[in-house]
Amino acid sequence: MFHQRRFARLKPTGPMSRSGKIIIDPGTAAIDCLVVDYSAGGACLEAAKAAALPKRFELLYAGSRKKCRVVWATAWRMGVSF
């Protein structure tokens, strides 16, 4: 089901990769994820077992590292805020 957004998202300009990495701890391996939607305040990520990930982690995407907080999650997708 598609819902229209209340506010337009500010999108980065230029070509962006859709692949990212989730970093939980410095000592553990990074988890590959797919960046479905990205804005200045948050993102929608797709990863295997997204609901089982911790509520706070770091996202490595497009050369930047962002501290994330999970806002919502389903089995495969999650919405995070920066």
Side-chain angles (χ1 to χ4, degrees):
M1 180 155 62
F2 178 74
H3 297 284
Q4 286 191 337
R5 296 186 188 276
R6 239 184 196 176
F7 305 102
R9 286 199 179 224
L10 298 174
K11 293 183 180 178
T13 58
M16 300 285 290
S17 171
R18 289 184 47 116
S19 63
K21 298 219 182 262
I22 295 173
I23 302 168
I24 298 171
D25 282 325
T28 60
I31 300 167
D32 292 326
C33 69
L34 183 70
V35 179
V36 177
D37 192 12
Y38 186 87
S39 69
C44 177
L45 308 175
E46 192 171 287
K49 299 181 183 176
L53 291 172
K55 296 295 179 191
R56 294 187 183 270
F57 56 85
E58 290 187 1
L59 173 67
L60 182 61
Y61 176 66
S64 67
R65 198 170 179 156
K66 302 265 188 178
K67 292 185 179 184
C68 299
R69 180 179 59 87
V70 176
V71 178
W72 60 267
T74 63
W76 300 101
R77 284 191 175 181
M78 72 181 108
V80 297
S81 64
F82 304 134

Short mmCIF file of all heavy atoms in Angstrom, two decimals, residues 1-25:
data_model
loop_
_atom_site.label_atom_id
_atom_site.label_comp_id
_atom_site.label_asym_id
_atom_site.label_seq_id
_atom_site.Cartn_x
_atom_site.Cartn_y
_atom_site.Cartn_z
N MET A 1 0.84 -1.17 0.00
CA MET A 1 0.00 0.00 0.00
C MET A 1 0.89 1.24 0.00
O MET A 1 1.86 1.31 0.73
CB MET A 1 -0.90 -0.02 1.22
CG MET A 1 -1.79 1.17 1.26
SD MET A 1 -3.32 0.99 2.17
CE MET A 1 -2.85 0.68 3.80
N PHE A 2 0.58 2.22 -0.82
CA PHE A 2 1.38 3.42 -0.96
C PHE A 2 0.70 4.59 -0.26
O PHE A 2 -0.48 4.83 -0.44
CB PHE A 2 1.56 3.75 -2.44
CG PHE A 2 2.33 5.00 -2.69
CD1 PHE A 2 3.69 5.03 -2.50
CD2 PHE A 2 1.69 6.16 -3.08
CE1 PHE A 2 4.42 6.18 -2.73
CE2 PHE A 2 2.39 7.32 -3.30
CZ PHE A 2 3.76 7.33 -3.12
N HIS A 3 1.46 5.29 0.58
CA HIS A 3 0.97 6.48 1.25
C HIS A 3 1.78 7.67 0.80
O HIS A 3 3.01 7.59 0.75
CB HIS A 3 1.09 6.35 2.78
CG HIS A 3 0.28 5.24 3.34
ND1 HIS A 3 -1.08 5.32 3.50
CD2 HIS A 3 0.62 4.01 3.76
CE1 HIS A 3 -1.53 4.19 4.01
NE2 HIS A 3 -0.52 3.37 4.17
N GLN A 4 1.13 8.75 0.46
CA GLN A 4 1.86 9.95 0.07
C GLN A 4 2.51 10.56 1.30
O GLN A 4 1.96 10.52 2.40
CB GLN A 4 0.93 10.95 -0.58
CG GLN A 4 0.55 10.55 -1.98
CD GLN A 4 -0.15 11.69 -2.70
OE1 GLN A 4 -0.69 12.58 -2.08
NE2 GLN A 4 -0.11 11.64 -4.02
N ARG A 5 3.67 11.15 1.09
CA ARG A 5 4.39 11.79 2.19
C ARG A 5 3.78 13.14 2.51
O ARG A 5 3.30 13.84 1.64
CB ARG A 5 5.85 11.99 1.82
CG ARG A 5 6.58 10.71 1.60
CD ARG A 5 8.05 11.03 1.39
NE ARG A 5 8.77 9.85 1.00
CZ ARG A 5 9.25 8.95 1.85
NH1 ARG A 5 9.07 9.12 3.12
NH2 ARG A 5 9.88 7.91 1.42
N ARG A 6 3.81 13.48 3.78
CA ARG A 6 3.33 14.78 4.21
C ARG A 6 4.27 15.90 3.77
O ARG A 6 3.86 16.96 3.37
CB ARG A 6 3.25 14.80 5.72
CG ARG A 6 1.92 15.07 6.23
CD ARG A 6 1.97 15.18 7.71
NE ARG A 6 0.62 15.07 8.16
CZ ARG A 6 0.24 15.03 9.38
NH1 ARG A 6 1.13 15.06 10.32
NH2 ARG A 6 -1.01 14.94 9.69
N PHE A 7 5.56 15.62 3.89
CA PHE A 7 6.58 16.60 3.54
C PHE A 7 7.53 15.98 2.53
O PHE A 7 7.83 14.80 2.60
CB PHE A 7 7.38 17.02 4.79
CG PHE A 7 6.51 17.53 5.89
CD1 PHE A 7 6.19 16.74 6.98
CD2 PHE A 7 5.98 18.81 5.83
CE1 PHE A 7 5.38 17.19 7.99
CE2 PHE A 7 5.15 19.27 6.84
CZ PHE A 7 4.85 18.48 7.92
N ALA A 8 8.02 16.79 1.63
CA ALA A 8 8.97 16.31 0.64
C ALA A 8 10.31 16.02 1.31
O ALA A 8 10.74 16.76 2.18
CB ALA A 8 9.15 17.35 -0.47
N ARG A 9 10.96 14.94 0.91
CA ARG A 9 12.27 14.61 1.46
C ARG A 9 13.35 15.39 0.73
O ARG A 9 13.27 15.58 -0.48
CB ARG A 9 12.56 13.13 1.33
CG ARG A 9 11.77 12.31 2.28
CD ARG A 9 12.43 10.98 2.41
NE ARG A 9 11.66 10.21 3.35
CZ ARG A 9 12.19 9.49 4.30
NH1 ARG A 9 13.48 9.43 4.43
NH2 ARG A 9 11.44 8.81 5.11
N LEU A 10 14.37 15.78 1.47
CA LEU A 10 15.54 16.38 0.86
C LEU A 10 16.46 15.25 0.47
O LEU A 10 16.92 14.50 1.30
CB LEU A 10 16.24 17.32 1.85
CG LEU A 10 15.40 18.49 2.33
CD1 LEU A 10 16.16 19.25 3.41
CD2 LEU A 10 15.09 19.40 1.18
N LYS A 11 16.73 15.12 -0.82
CA LYS A 11 17.54 14.02 -1.30
C LYS A 11 18.94 14.51 -1.65
O LYS A 11 19.10 15.61 -2.17
CB LYS A 11 16.89 13.40 -2.54
CG LYS A 11 15.59 12.73 -2.24
CD LYS A 11 15.04 12.07 -3.46
CE LYS A 11 13.72 11.40 -3.12
NZ LYS A 11 13.12 10.78 -4.27
N PRO A 12 19.96 13.69 -1.38
CA PRO A 12 21.29 14.06 -1.81
C PRO A 12 21.37 14.10 -3.32
O PRO A 12 20.63 13.38 -4.00
CB PRO A 12 22.17 12.96 -1.25
CG PRO A 12 21.30 11.99 -0.59
CD PRO A 12 19.90 12.45 -0.68
N THR A 13 22.23 14.92 -3.85
CA THR A 13 22.36 15.03 -5.30
C THR A 13 23.47 14.12 -5.80
O THR A 13 24.37 13.77 -5.06
CB THR A 13 22.67 16.48 -5.71
OG1 THR A 13 23.87 16.89 -5.05
CG2 THR A 13 21.54 17.40 -5.34
N GLY A 14 23.39 13.76 -7.06
CA GLY A 14 24.41 12.91 -7.66
C GLY A 14 24.09 11.44 -7.50
O GLY A 14 23.19 11.05 -6.78
N PRO A 15 24.86 10.62 -8.19
CA PRO A 15 24.62 9.18 -8.10
C PRO A 15 25.03 8.63 -6.74
O PRO A 15 26.07 8.98 -6.20
CB PRO A 15 25.50 8.60 -9.22
CG PRO A 15 26.55 9.62 -9.45
CD PRO A 15 25.94 10.95 -9.11
N MET A 16 24.16 7.81 -6.17
CA MET A 16 24.42 7.23 -4.85
C MET A 16 24.32 5.71 -4.97
O MET A 16 23.47 5.19 -5.68
CB MET A 16 23.38 7.73 -3.83
CG MET A 16 23.34 9.21 -3.63
SD MET A 16 24.70 9.86 -2.67
CE MET A 16 24.32 9.24 -1.07
N SER A 17 25.17 5.02 -4.25
CA SER A 17 25.13 3.57 -4.20
C SER A 17 23.94 3.15 -3.34
O SER A 17 23.49 3.90 -2.49
CB SER A 17 26.42 3.06 -3.59
OG SER A 17 26.33 1.69 -3.33
N ARG A 18 23.45 1.95 -3.54
CA ARG A 18 22.35 1.46 -2.73
C ARG A 18 22.83 0.51 -1.64
O ARG A 18 22.04 0.04 -0.85
CB ARG A 18 21.32 0.76 -3.61
CG ARG A 18 20.56 1.75 -4.46
CD ARG A 18 19.49 1.06 -5.26
NE ARG A 18 18.69 0.14 -4.48
CZ ARG A 18 17.39 0.26 -4.24
NH1 ARG A 18 16.76 1.27 -4.74
NH2 ARG A 18 16.75 -0.63 -3.53
N SER A 19 24.13 0.22 -1.60
CA SER A 19 24.63 -0.71 -0.60
C SER A 19 25.24 0.04 0.58
O SER A 19 25.87 1.08 0.42
CB SER A 19 25.66 -1.66 -1.22
OG SER A 19 26.77 -0.93 -1.66
N GLY A 20 25.04 -0.50 1.78
CA GLY A 20 25.58 0.09 2.98
C GLY A 20 26.02 -1.01 3.93
O GLY A 20 25.87 -2.20 3.64
N LYS A 21 26.59 -0.61 5.04
CA LYS A 21 27.05 -1.57 6.04
C LYS A 21 26.56 -1.13 7.41
O LYS A 21 26.63 0.04 7.76
CB LYS A 21 28.56 -1.67 6.04
CG LYS A 21 29.11 -2.16 4.72
CD LYS A 21 30.27 -3.07 4.95
CE LYS A 21 30.84 -3.53 3.63
NZ LYS A 21 30.37 -4.81 3.24
N ILE A 22 26.07 -2.08 8.19
CA ILE A 22 25.63 -1.84 9.56
C ILE A 22 26.74 -2.29 10.49
O ILE A 22 27.19 -3.44 10.41
CB ILE A 22 24.32 -2.61 9.85
CG1 ILE A 22 23.20 -2.06 8.97
CG2 ILE A 22 23.96 -2.52 11.32
CD1 ILE A 22 21.91 -2.85 9.04
N ILE A 23 27.18 -1.38 11.34
CA ILE A 23 28.26 -1.67 12.28
C ILE A 23 27.66 -1.68 13.69
O ILE A 23 27.20 -0.64 14.17
CB ILE A 23 29.38 -0.64 12.17
CG1 ILE A 23 29.93 -0.63 10.74
CG2 ILE A 23 30.48 -0.92 13.19
CD1 ILE A 23 30.83 0.52 10.43
N ILE A 24 27.66 -2.84 14.33
CA ILE A 24 27.10 -2.97 15.67
C ILE A 24 28.17 -2.70 16.72
O ILE A 24 27.98 -1.90 17.62
CB ILE A 24 26.47 -4.37 15.86
CG1 ILE A 24 25.34 -4.54 14.86
CG2 ILE A 24 25.98 -4.56 17.28
CD1 ILE A 24 24.78 -5.93 14.78
N ASP A 25 29.29 -3.40 16.61
CA ASP A 25 30.43 -3.25 17.52
C ASP A 25 31.70 -3.19 16.68
O ASP A 25 31.76 -3.81 15.61
CB ASP A 25 30.54 -4.44 18.47
CG ASP A 25 29.56 -4.38 19.61
OD1 ASP A 25 29.28 -3.26 20.08
OD2 ASP A 25 29.07 -5.44 20.04
#
